[in-house]
Amino acid sequence: MTDTITTQVLPRKCFGTVLTTPTVAAEVPPSVIMRLLDRHFTNDWGDLPHGDELINSETVNDCEGRVMSSYSWPGLDQKIWIISYLQSDPELQQDQECCNTTVLFASEY
């Protein structure tokens, strides 16, 4: 029996500033990056194991902490990871060190 995951969809501002590594920016078309960010922002965690999905859901429901997504994409040799540090406090949402989303290749972690 599989656990049912119920996760709220957070306002985009809770994910902070989006940063992309130079390698991803050079190798991945912007339209692909945007499509994957849309998936990440709507709780589609990609290729994560179920246990990690549960941790992400708890973090999103608390609107505080780290969530991660992992995506394969045709034509790319590496997985793309998207990691967000969520923040519910409007003041901290403006601070890139407290609240951000980074798009990177798995090898760049």
Side-chain angles (χ1 to χ4, degrees):
M1 180 174 174
T2 304
D3 295 330
T4 300
I5 303 172
T6 304
T7 310
Q8 66 178 333
V9 175
L10 294 175
R12 168 62 190 83
K13 64 186 177 185
C14 293
F15 291 87
T17 303
V18 174
L19 309 165
T20 303
T21 63
T23 309
V24 168
E27 295 183 28
V28 182
S31 60
V32 172
I33 294 170
M34 290 306 300
R35 188 165 179 193
L36 296 178
L37 283 167
D38 286 342
R39 289 177 63 185
H40 179 77
F41 294 149
T42 57
N43 307 329
D44 173 353
W45 315 119
D47 304 327
L48 287 185
H50 184 71
D52 291 339
E53 290 178 347
L54 290 172
I55 292 168
N56 277 357
S57 291
E58 290 172 7
T59 301
V60 167
N61 289 336
D62 292 341
C63 192
E64 190 113 357
R66 185 191 83 158
V67 294
M68 180 180 170
S69 298
S70 176
Y71 306 102
S72 299
W73 195 263
L76 294 176
D77 294 335
Q78 297 187 62
K79 288 191 178 206
I80 295 175
W81 285 5
I82 301 178
I83 302 172
S84 293
Y85 290 90
L86 306 178
Q87 189 55 250
S88 59
D89 183 322
E91 206 169 299
L92 292 176
Q93 289 170 355
Q94 305 303 312
D95 184 344
Q96 286 186 17
E97 293 196 22
C98 294
C99 186
N100 63 64
T101 296
T102 304
V103 182
L104 65 158
F105 284 119
S107 63
E108 297 178 295
Y109 186 72

